Amino acid sequence: AQHRLASLHPSGFNQAERAYYSLLLTQSHYKNYIDDTTDAVINEAVDYYEHHGDREKYTRSLLYQGCVYQVMGDAEKAIASYKDAENAAEDGDLENKAFAKLRLATLYADNSNYADLKIRKYKEALDLYNQLGDKHYQIVCLTDMGGYYRSLPDKRDSALYYINQAIQLSEAEHENWFLFQNLYQRAEMYCLLTKEYDKARVDILKAIAAGKDEIDHPRAHYVAAETYLNLGRPDSALHYLNHVPASGMMSNHTSDTVMYCRLMSEIAKANKDWNQFTTYYDRANEMADSILVTNVNKNYLAIEKKYDIQLEELKKVKSESRTRGAILLATLLALLALGVTFLAWRYRSRLKQK
């Protein structure tokens, strides 16, 4: 469909044809992971269908307008479009209404201010997908809800409730990616949170088996290594580290590489190989320091940018009172920079102490 649409020449289309073409082209881009950098195309469809009575196409245009804004990084406009789509969808248009609710839930998931609303939208979307019999999107909702609850210390029972449902449905529907994701989530909970290492071992081995042909995910192997270390089996831990997929192998200053080196140092420690322990321990520290410095530098750049803007404003300020206020703000930004430096130093000290 993408190839056929790209080969068309809409210059000869009438207004209705151009609107439908714009909708289909945007929809095709989204489903083929092609990022739109402008809303001009989809806006043509939205504007036309808003005034020409096709409610389903109007709703769908609003949905993909939201997708375009989300890709462009404008969350507020995306939320507004998804809300409009949710409201525009007719009672019988369960598919578009469910998709609007799901997209809202995913956007709310990135903002802690929307915690309650996020879960409500996920549950509303799940209910509609149950009515539609759409197993794939039922799994999507269950997976996201399980992942959200897993991050809350007092909601682990809720996390397991949704993760378990997602695993059962993923197995029944042969959805290997989601089976991997949910087994991995549950294994990580058992290993890192509840310390149920036998359960973690069973789940993580199933996860790796489910994803071995299509998923390049090093952290599953790291959870396997962590689990076997806690079971007192460093040789098995080393086996899974030696079979980490390519994306998890040694790269320049990534958190995955820090994890790899930390686990290698723990294996060396368990085997009383102190030379190797020191090598990997120092390497993990160096890389962690590099990541920390990079993050601190980013914070400094942001602060410096604000400071430069403030200095430019100072040059334009003529009022003495406004000047004092601007100087005070600049001083506060300088103090913030010192605070970031102190926090970075304290984090680095704690890391080395650990």
Side-chain angles (χ1 to χ4, degrees), residues 236-249:
S236 296
L238 182 60
H239 168 80
Y240 283 97
L241 280 189
N242 286 338
H243 289 81
V244 169
S247 66
M249 297 308 289

Side-chain angles (χ1 to χ4, degrees), residues 147-343:
Y148 169 69
Y149 279 124
R150 186 188 62 157
S151 66
L152 305 177
D154 59 338
K155 294 291 185 179
R156 290 174 188 166
D157 289 342
S158 296
L160 285 174
Y161 173 77
Y162 289 110
I163 289 172
N164 290 344
Q165 287 190 64
I167 288 171
Q168 291 174 11
L169 201 51
S170 298
E171 286 178 326
E173 296 298 311
H174 306 290
E175 292 263 15
N176 278 354
W177 192 92
F178 285 102
L179 179 59
F180 164 83
Q181 178 67 18
N182 285 283
L183 285 167
Y184 167 73
Q185 286 194 118
R186 194 168 70 178
E188 194 175 49
M189 283 185 66
Y190 287 146
C191 178
L192 302 180
L193 301 178
T194 64
K195 312 300 182 184
E196 297 174 87
Y197 299 116
D198 286 321
K199 289 183 178 180
R201 181 182 63 82
V202 171
D203 274 355
I204 202 61
L205 295 185
K206 285 183 180 178
I208 291 171
K212 64 181 179 181
D213 296 325
E214 56 185 285
I215 299 161
D216 191 16
H217 197 303
R219 293 182 188 179
H221 288 70
Y222 297 160
V223 171
E226 186 88 45
T227 299
Y228 276 116
L229 275 169
N230 283 286
L231 289 170
R233 296 169 60 179
D235 291 344
S236 296
L238 182 60
H239 168 80
Y240 283 97
L241 280 189
N242 286 338
H243 289 81
V244 169
S247 66
M249 297 308 289
M250 302 299 289
S251 59
N252 291 326
H253 309 310
T254 69
S255 58
D256 283 336
T257 307
V258 174
M259 177 66 74
Y260 177 88
C261 291
R262 185 189 71 77
L263 288 167
M264 285 297 292
S265 72
E266 291 297 322
I267 292 170
K269 182 179 177 181
N271 291 326
K272 302 188 185 305
D273 186 339
W274 304 115
N275 287 333
Q276 193 174 60
F277 167 77
T278 302
T279 298
Y280 281 107
Y281 180 82
D282 289 345
R283 191 178 299 173
N285 273 342
E286 288 169 6
M287 291 181 178
D289 283 350
S290 176
I291 293 171
L292 180 62
V293 168
T294 299
N295 289 336
V296 169
N297 285 340
K298 287 180 180 178
N299 290 333
Y300 270 135
L301 287 173
I303 291 169
E304 285 178 1
K305 185 175 181 180
K306 290 180 181 178
Y307 186 75
D308 289 341
I309 292 171
Q310 188 59 45
L311 286 178
E312 288 299 317
E313 290 179 357
L314 280 172
K315 294 176 183 177
K316 300 175 183 178
V317 172
K318 295 180 180 180
S319 166
E320 184 178 349
S321 61
R322 290 179 64 191
T323 302
R324 282 200 297 266
I327 292 172
L328 177 60
L329 180 57
T331 303
L332 289 173
L333 288 171
L335 290 173
L336 178 60
L338 291 173
V340 169
T341 304
F342 173 74
L343 289 173

Side-chain angles (χ1 to χ4, degrees), residues 47-113:
D47 292 342
Y48 178 82
Y49 290 120
E50 184 178 9
H51 300 101
H52 289 82
D54 192 322
R55 191 69 169 271
E56 191 279 331
K57 287 188 177 68
Y58 177 53
T59 303
R60 193 149 36 109
S61 298
L62 287 167
L63 279 172
Y64 285 99
Q65 184 187 57
C67 293
V68 168
Y69 286 137
Q70 194 167 355
V71 167
M72 292 171 62
D74 195 331
E76 292 304 317
K77 283 188 176 181
I79 288 173
S81 294
Y82 291 141
K83 283 182 176 179
D84 288 344
E86 184 182 25
N87 294 328
E90 296 177 309
D91 291 340
D93 189 4
L94 300 185
E95 186 173 351
N96 284 330
K97 189 179 286 287
F99 191 59
K101 291 179 183 294
L102 177 59
R103 299 312 301 168
L104 281 170
T106 58
L107 269 175
Y108 291 150
D110 296 330
N111 192 324
S112 59
N113 295 326

